[in-house]
Amino acid sequence: MVGGGADLRPLTGAQRGVWMAQTLAPESARFHTADAIELRGPVEVDRLAHAIRTVLDGAEALHARFLDTADGPRQALRPERDWPLERVDLRAESDPAAAADARMARDLRTPIDLATDRLFHAALLRTGDDTWTWYLRIHHIATDAYATALLIRRVADRYTAAVTGADEPPLALSPLESLLAVDAAYDGGDDHAADRAFWSERLAGHATPPTLGGAGGGGEPARAAIRVRDDA
């Protein structure tokens, strides 16, 4: 556990749930999300790599680290401008597509530490003379399917502009502070109160959920009610 600091920010409600679940099962990679986009035809790989770097650098939520502090979990932005974007030529493999699948599966199964590790990994895997796979893995605490789709679209738009000579489109990515402000407004608003009342009534009588604090105030660690599986 670490102390507070000026650069520490709160978590959103959704992030708190993911952080809790990951902390209860630190060895699990269950919260990884990933996309593999197959590219067929001539690829200007340097321009594609530049587009990927520009977009992922501009997505602040991807560059957070999640710390357990005296005030509860907090996130701190730790931008890393020289993160590795893998480029791997697999054409010499007996089955390049299978080799690419194996590399992606291995990465997807590898857990990360939310306090110290980068939340994403990107790779360009060449499986043929005119065939590439762009692999992007992001921890669910930083994104969801909709947000990832937006990132992929931003990369596609910037790459297309680069190869056609068009003007680069704006990144149009909101800063992390904007998201936190929206979440804070919900927490303090009528919608949150109504939602809380609805679910409190719906869940009345169910077992107390697990927590990371002492169970019943006695100082004994709470035990998780579920087991997170990685083979499902």
Side-chain angles (χ1 to χ4, degrees):
M1 181 176 293
V2 300
D7 66 334
L8 298 181
R9 297 164 171 83
L11 277 61
T12 67
Q15 286 179 320
R16 288 193 294 271
V18 175
W19 181 87
M20 174 73 75
Q22 183 69 84
T23 303
L24 287 169
E27 76 289 347
S28 174
R30 183 70 175 224
F31 293 99
H32 286 340
T33 68
D35 288 270
I37 298 96
E38 188 175 74
L39 308 171
R40 292 184 175 273
V43 174
E44 297 189 28
V45 67
D46 288 338
R47 284 177 166 168
L48 176 58
H50 178 71
I52 293 170
R53 283 193 175 280
T54 300
V55 172
L56 298 189
D57 280 345
E60 285 191 338
L62 302 185
H63 300 277
R65 299 294 186 271
F66 293 82
L67 309 175
D68 186 11
T69 78
D71 299 318
R74 295 291 186 268
Q75 57 184 313
L77 291 180
R78 299 285 187 266
E80 181 187 350
R81 299 305 181 193
D82 195 27
W83 48 268
L85 171 58
E86 277 193 305
R87 295 193 202 181
V88 183
D89 191 339
L90 300 172
R91 288 177 294 175
E93 299 286 341
S94 59
D95 188 338
D101 288 344
R103 290 183 70 95
M104 292 185 288
R106 186 164 56 249
D107 176 76
L108 195 58
R109 291 193 302 265
T110 303
I112 66 170
D113 186 330
L114 295 180
T116 59
D117 294 334
R118 197 179 339 105
L119 300 177
F120 68 93
H121 176 67
L124 291 169
L125 309 175
R126 192 170 193 177
T127 55
D129 292 342
D130 288 319
T131 308
W132 291 76
T133 296
W134 171 29
Y135 170 70
L136 177 62
R137 184 261 299 155
I138 307 175
H139 195 282
H140 190 40
I141 201 168
T143 191
D144 58 17
Y146 179 72
T148 301
L150 291 180
L151 293 176
I152 293 171
R153 171 52 59 187
R154 298 291 189 273
V155 171
D157 289 344
R158 295 182 79 83
Y159 174 69
T160 299
V163 298
T164 60
D167 293 335
E168 279 193 344
L171 277 178
L173 297 173
S174 299
L176 180 61
E177 291 293 349
S178 296
L179 175 61
L180 296 177
V182 170
D183 192 70
Y186 168 75
D187 280 348
D190 294 338
D191 287 344
H192 179 271
D195 291 344
R196 183 181 180 85
F198 172 84
W199 286 109
S200 294
E201 180 180 353
R202 179 65 63 90
L203 297 175
H206 287 262
T208 301
T211 71
L212 296 182
E220 193 70 21
R223 299 180 62 184
I226 59 171
R227 178 184 178 193
V228 178
R229 293 181 56 195
D230 292 316
D231 58 349

